[in-house]
Amino acid sequence: RELISNIRLQVHQKTFVKDPETSELGKNLIRESILLIDEIGFENFTFKKLGERIKSNESSVYRYFENKHKLLLYLASWYWSYLEYRLVFATNNIEDPCVRLKIAIGIVTEKVLDDTDTAHINEAILSRIIIAEFSKVMHTKEVDQENKEGFFLIYKRLNARIVSIIKEINPTYPFAESLVSTVISGALHQHFLSEHLESLSSIDIGKSVSEFYTHLITNTIQN
């Protein structure tokens, strides 16, 4: 994990006006935006409130992001890029696809812990934001255009990596793409339910999200 400090995670360039990774102000903006969204929710989050928090003009935020939706797209893109990095690193040089699949499921379904090598981004808090706000990333009127422009390439690439492992195990399974996208989005939903609507989830009775989806996928593709 310590290698991540030397690796630049990919984020779609159209999510930002100016790359926040290129300045201390930009990094501070990302750090505080994550904390503020976690505290007050995305609906109540504004660039004015963020500017007050970082003790800067609201206009300085607009120099980095066109609007708060683009900021959320940036955070989601960074998050999926981080998971992809972890997946690739954790499964490298493991020949058994069944072992790789179990590792991959764990990475995309369990809550993320903070990685101290990324000082300006608390991955654990960012994970909470993705769990709470993921639908707002894609469920918008602009989703088709944003998809054409490649905003979701990293998310789709993460899905595709797991799909390829499933096809190694069972090349004849016809629904690999649907299964993987269901698992990744469903894991976020299960975390949300376990925290807010406990009776709708088995996770609060000693079972983990990873256990559930490992059981679901392995039994599904074997049948």
Side-chain angles (χ1 to χ4, degrees), residues 4-195:
I4 195 171
S5 59
N6 298 317
I7 294 176
R8 181 70 178 274
L9 296 177
Q10 290 185 342
V11 178
H12 198 286
Q13 292 185 345
K14 289 188 177 181
T15 59
F16 54 80
V17 178
K18 178 181 178 181
D19 187 351
E21 296 283 345
T22 60
S23 70
E24 288 304 314
L25 175 60
K27 291 179 180 180
N28 187 41
L29 185 155
I30 293 300
R31 179 192 301 110
E32 296 302 326
S33 67
I34 291 172
L35 297 176
L36 186 57
I37 292 172
D38 183 55
E39 289 174 15
I40 66 175
F42 187 67
E43 292 89 348
N44 295 319
F45 172 84
T46 65
F47 281 179
K48 181 179 180 180
K49 292 177 182 177
L50 179 59
E52 293 171 352
R53 188 179 182 103
I54 63 175
K55 296 180 172 57
S56 182
N57 294 327
E58 182 180 355
S59 59
S60 66
V61 183
Y62 282 103
R63 288 203 295 269
Y64 289 89
F65 293 98
E66 181 182 343
N67 53 52
K68 73 175 190 176
H69 176 63
K70 290 290 180 64
L71 171 59
L72 185 62
L73 282 170
Y74 176 92
L75 295 177
S77 185
W78 194 99
Y79 178 79
W80 299 121
S81 185
Y82 175 73
L83 291 193
E84 182 188 36
Y85 157 79
R86 288 184 56 209
L87 188 153
V88 172
F89 187 77
T91 58
N92 189 37
N93 296 325
I94 296 178
E95 294 186 5
D96 188 339
C98 293
V99 175
R100 277 188 276 124
L101 180 60
K102 185 175 182 180
I103 293 171
I105 294 170
I107 287 173
V108 299
T109 59
E110 288 302 321
K111 284 187 178 179
V112 177
L113 301 177
D114 183 32
D115 190 329
T116 56
D117 289 311
T118 52
H120 66 297
I121 292 181
N122 185 311
E123 287 83 4
I125 297 177
L126 179 57
S127 177
R128 288 205 300 265
I129 292 173
I130 300 301
I131 289 169
E133 312 290 359
F134 180 61
S135 63
K136 298 181 181 67
V137 176
M138 293 184 180
H139 294 184
T140 67
K141 292 291 185 181
E142 296 79 24
V143 63
D144 292 328
Q145 182 60 37
E146 290 174 347
N147 184 45
K148 288 179 182 178
E149 295 180 17
F151 282 85
F152 310 115
L153 281 176
I154 297 171
Y155 177 68
K156 292 193 288 187
R157 194 171 65 205
L158 175 65
N159 278 254
R161 289 187 183 278
I162 305 175
V163 167
S164 68
I165 300 174
I166 290 176
K167 289 183 176 181
E168 280 186 67
I169 299 170
N170 184 353
T172 64
Y173 180 70
F175 305 112
E177 291 82 3
S178 295
L179 180 61
V180 172
S181 61
T182 297
V183 167
I184 294 180
S185 61
L188 299 175
H189 188 54
Q190 286 299 315
H191 284 299
F192 184 86
L193 292 178
S194 67
E195 185 172 348

